[in-house]
């Protein structure tokens, strides 16, 4: 898959490294990869993660429309299915409640000296062959429950009253501002 | 150039806006949203082949996803150093080496990683990959994020989240320090009021 720039071969790897440095720096500075920040968010003790993620989603949804209109980006989403996303979300919620970490959060934590996050990757490595082994069971069960792919829920124009993105982004921003005044950061 | 922006703590709003711009940059550069899923699949397949064949005579396919993982580590290190939050911690913030934290850290970490692997396998993308795809109005991404957030909050509230703001994070220690100062100030104000009442 290529972007509008169509970067060739080895240059793409180098650009990937530099982009990763920017992305890692932003994630570390935003504080949303910290285990304590995530756990405080889940227990409604802190608004940092909520404000950051909600603002990112609202701004990202709006920016995506304008950049797509300017032909700088195209709609590219991976395959996702109803039951896979639902059950996967439950498992991810369990992992998040238990550890306060995501794969990217664990990587950033290790970079920040939190060596305990290595055990998160050990768990991922241990589970990978197990998941591969039950893949045939998943093919006959979860993946059969719905074969309709979930795509983008709106691809029309931004300035249209029927555009749900306006209401979702507005709601996210209102919620983020409300949490700023009601919860500590 | 004002370097304070890079050294100071970011608010949720500024962090969110910068994060959204980073997502759009990824879409512009690579044609897809950034996530660890693909890079980890490449590296885990390489490790599996190395174990199966018992040799490392060729490098893993070096695509931008692998470069992303390398860059994330370097950028994360730079970010935590710039914030002054770099600290070696071998146990999570719930306790030190003599408080039973060794077993808890190892078991919780391994179990959490295993659950997350199942989640990524079922859903098809990683957590931050879905957060980025949600900006493209992906229904699957929004469903995953909503279910994950609600279930994680429910699990935390029902089973207890442990000490979130522990000594390991500067946020936690700053909050504890502020609480102590507020308590002291309230006590001294109460004392002065008492003296005024007596008069």
């Amino acid at each position: 898959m290529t972007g509008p720039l169509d970067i060739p071969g080895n240059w793409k790897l180098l650009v990937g490294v530099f982009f990763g440095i920017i992305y890692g720096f932003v994630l570390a500075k935003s504080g949303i990869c910290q285990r304590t920040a995530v756990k405080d968010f889940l227990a409604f003790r802190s608004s940092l993660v909520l404000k950051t993620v909600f603002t990112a989603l609202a701004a990202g949804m709006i920016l995506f429309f304008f950049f797509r209109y300017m032909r700088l980006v195209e709609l590219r989403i991976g395959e996702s299915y109803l039951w896979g996303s639902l059950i996967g979300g439950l498992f991810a919620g369990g992992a998040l409640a238990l550890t306060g970490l995501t794969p990217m959060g664990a990587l950033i934590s290790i970079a920040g000296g939190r060596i305990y996050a290595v055990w998160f990757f050990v768990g991922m490595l241990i589970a990978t062959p197990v998941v591969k082994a039950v893949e045939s069971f998943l093919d006959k069960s979860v993946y059969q429950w719905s074969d309709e792919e979930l795509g983008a829920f709106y691809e029309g124009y931004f300035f249209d009253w029927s555009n749900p993105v306006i209401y979702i982004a507005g709601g996210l921003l209102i919620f983020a501002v409300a949490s700023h005044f009601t919860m500590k950061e | 150039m004002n370097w304070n922006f890079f050294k100071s703590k970011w608010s949720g709003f500024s962090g969110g806006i910068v994060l959204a711009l980073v997502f759009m940059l990824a879409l512009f550069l690579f044609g897809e949203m950034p996530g660890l899923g693909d890079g980890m699949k490449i590296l885990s397949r390489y490790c599996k082949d190395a174990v199966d064949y018992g040799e490392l005579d060729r490098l893993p396919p070096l695509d931008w996803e692998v470069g992303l993982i390398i860059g994330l580590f370097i950028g994360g290190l730079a970010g935590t150093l710039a914030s002054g939050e770099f600290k070696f911690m071998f146990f999570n913030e719930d306790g030190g080496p003599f408080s039973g934290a060794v077993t808890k850290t190892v078991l919780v970490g391994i179990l959490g990683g295993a659950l997350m692997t199942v989640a990524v396998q079922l859903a098809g993308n990683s957590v931050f990959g879905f957060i980025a795809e949600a900006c493209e109005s992906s229904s699957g991404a929004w469903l995953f994020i909503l279910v994950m957030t609600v279930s994680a909050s429910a699990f935390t509230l029902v089973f207890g989240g442990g000490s979130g703001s522990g000594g390991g994070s500067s946020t936690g220690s700053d909050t504890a320090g502020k609480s102590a100062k507020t308590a002291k100030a309230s006590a001294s104000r109460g004392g002065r009021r008492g003296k005024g009442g007596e008069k």
Side-chain angles (χ1 to χ4, degrees):
Chain A
M1 206 176 280
T2 58
L5 277 189
D6 198 11
I7 304 168
N10 292 333
W11 289 108
K12 206 168 183 183
L13 172 66
L14 196 62
V15 172
V17 173
F18 280 117
F19 171 79
I21 291 173
I22 296 169
Y23 194 14
F25 185 86
V26 168
L27 284 175
K29 287 297 294 183
S30 68
I32 60 173
C33 290
Q34 285 179 9
R35 179 182 169 273
T36 51
V38 171
K39 288 218 152 199
D40 283 345
F41 155 66
L42 293 175
F44 302 108
R45 286 193 290 255
S46 164
S47 63
L48 175 66
V49 172
L50 190 149
K51 284 193 299 191
T52 306
V53 173
F54 277 25
T55 307
L57 286 171
M61 290 175 93
I62 295 169
L63 283 172
F64 173 72
F65 268 91
F66 287 107
F67 286 155
R68 197 175 66 153
Y69 176 74
M70 287 155 64
R71 298 188 196 281
L72 291 173
V73 298
E74 292 170 7
L75 177 69
R76 290 271 173 81
I77 51 180
E79 287 180 4
S80 57
Y81 300 90
L82 172 67
W83 287 103
S85 295
L86 213 112
I87 299 173
L90 278 173
F91 275 96
L96 207 62
L98 205 55
T99 61
L101 294 171
T102 61
M104 205 166 284
L107 185 60
I108 301 294
S109 293
I110 292 170
R114 274 57 172 182
I115 308 300
Y116 58 74
V118 163
W119 297 110
F120 188 87
F121 284 114
V122 169
M124 290 185 76
L125 279 172
I126 290 171
T128 300
V130 174
V131 169
K132 290 290 177 198
V134 299
E135 206 165 2
S136 60
F137 166 74
L138 292 173
D139 282 337
K140 291 174 201 164
S141 56
V142 179
Y143 297 152
Q144 296 296 323
W145 294 346
S146 67
D147 52 4
E148 195 181 319
E149 199 179 317
L150 298 174
F153 56 76
Y154 185 78
E155 295 182 51
Y157 295 108
F158 184 80
F159 292 110
D160 190 334
W161 288 117
S162 66
N163 180 6
V165 169
I166 298 175
Y167 306 106
I168 293 171
L172 289 171
L173 285 173
I174 289 169
F175 207 8
V177 170
S179 70
H180 177 74
F181 292 107
T182 53
M183 292 162 70
K184 66 176 172 73
E185 188 169 299
Chain B
M1 189 175 182
N2 186 8
W3 293 105
N4 283 338
F5 178 71
F6 296 99
K7 287 194 271 187
S8 61
K9 190 169 159 42
W10 289 1
S11 76
F13 299 114
S14 51
I17 291 170
V18 176
L19 198 57
L21 288 168
V22 168
F23 291 155
M24 294 303 118
L25 180 64
L27 205 53
F28 173 68
L29 290 173
F30 309 112
E32 53 186 303
M33 287 297 194
L36 279 193
D38 289 338
M40 300 199 107
K41 277 180 205 163
I42 293 171
L43 286 175
S44 67
R45 211 176 302 133
Y46 173 74
C47 292
K48 183 182 175 297
D49 288 345
V51 168
D52 285 345
Y53 300 113
E55 53 191 10
L56 288 171
D57 59 349
R58 56 187 177 89
L59 292 171
L62 295 175
D63 205 352
W64 73 273
E65 286 102 346
V66 177
L68 176 71
I69 294 176
I70 299 167
L72 276 169
F73 188 85
I74 299 170
L77 176 61
T80 45
L81 285 172
S83 304
E85 288 177 355
F86 184 90
K87 186 178 179 181
F88 276 117
M89 290 183 71
F90 294 91
F91 310 98
N92 62 31
E93 288 81 3
D94 292 342
F98 301 110
S99 62
V102 176
T103 310
K104 194 176 174 185
T105 297
V106 171
L107 285 178
V108 163
I110 289 175
L111 185 58
L115 286 172
M116 191 58 80
T117 301
V118 175
V120 170
Q121 173 71 19
L122 282 170
N125 204 344
S126 59
V127 173
F128 273 89
F130 272 129
I131 290 175
E133 282 195 359
C135 297
E136 295 182 89
S137 311
S138 164
S139 311
W142 275 101
L143 179 63
F144 180 90
I145 291 168
L146 277 166
V147 172
M148 180 186 70
T149 309
V150 169
S151 62
S153 288
F155 288 140
T156 301
L157 292 172
V158 169
F159 297 110
S163 58
S165 302
S169 81
S170 56
T171 312
S173 51
D174 283 346
T175 311
K178 280 180 189 166
S179 301
K181 281 183 187 168
T182 312
K184 244 181 157 177
S186 305
S188 63
R189 277 200 299 274
R192 283 199 293 273
R193 260 190 246 118
K195 282 181 186 171
E198 281 170 26
K199 283 186 184 169

